[in-house]
Amino acid sequence: QVQLVESGGGLVQAGASLRLSCKGSGFTASSFAMGWFRQAPGKEREGLSCINSNGGIINNVESVKGRFTISRDNAKNTAYLQMDSLKPEDTAMYYCAATLYYCSVYYKARYDYWGQGTQVTVSS
């Protein structure tokens, strides 16, 4: 059974950093592309960044703006999202997702598996 479990969210002040983790089980992560998405209340889920099985990275430049960095450790079946210089508008539920296809930050339907999310709240 494939599972993705996010962790690392929390309540922080503006300007702080957080590192989110996405631990996969029931599959070999090295075969999958991994993506990070977020959804704020009343808004659509938006793609932030994704990393293909070969390490190639695609960023949603508008949302990430050089503050977020995606990475992966295939030996640990884990993907990460390093978030720096957090702003109150970054407050959202953050999700990771996995796909056997080439990753995308725009086509959510491409992803086969999703985690339950981890909440990030940034206070001003």
Side-chain angles (χ1 to χ4, degrees), residues 43-62:
K43 295 188 177 181
E44 290 191 4
R45 190 170 299 189
E46 66 170 341
L48 300 173
S49 186
C50 66
I51 183 167
N52 285 299
S53 57
N54 64 2
I57 292 173
I58 299 173
N59 289 319
N60 182 336
V61 177
E62 186 61 33

Side-chain angles (χ1 to χ4, degrees), residues 107-121:
Y107 299 111
K108 295 183 289 292
R110 185 173 295 183
Y111 290 85
D112 304 296
Y113 306 105
W114 291 83
Q116 293 300 307
T118 184
Q119 177 68 38
V120 172
T121 303

Side-chain angles (χ1 to χ4, degrees), residues 87-100:
K87 305 175 182 179
E89 51 263 44
D90 294 319
T91 294
M93 186 71 80
Y94 284 69
Y95 300 89
C96 70
T99 177
L100 281 170

Side-chain angles (χ1 to χ4, degrees), residues 27-34 52-55 72-75 77-78 100:
F27 68 104
T28 303
S30 60
S31 299
F32 285 73
M34 306 292 291
N52 285 299
S53 57
N54 64 2
R72 64 189 299 158
D73 185 337
N74 289 335
N77 254 24
T78 301
L100 281 170

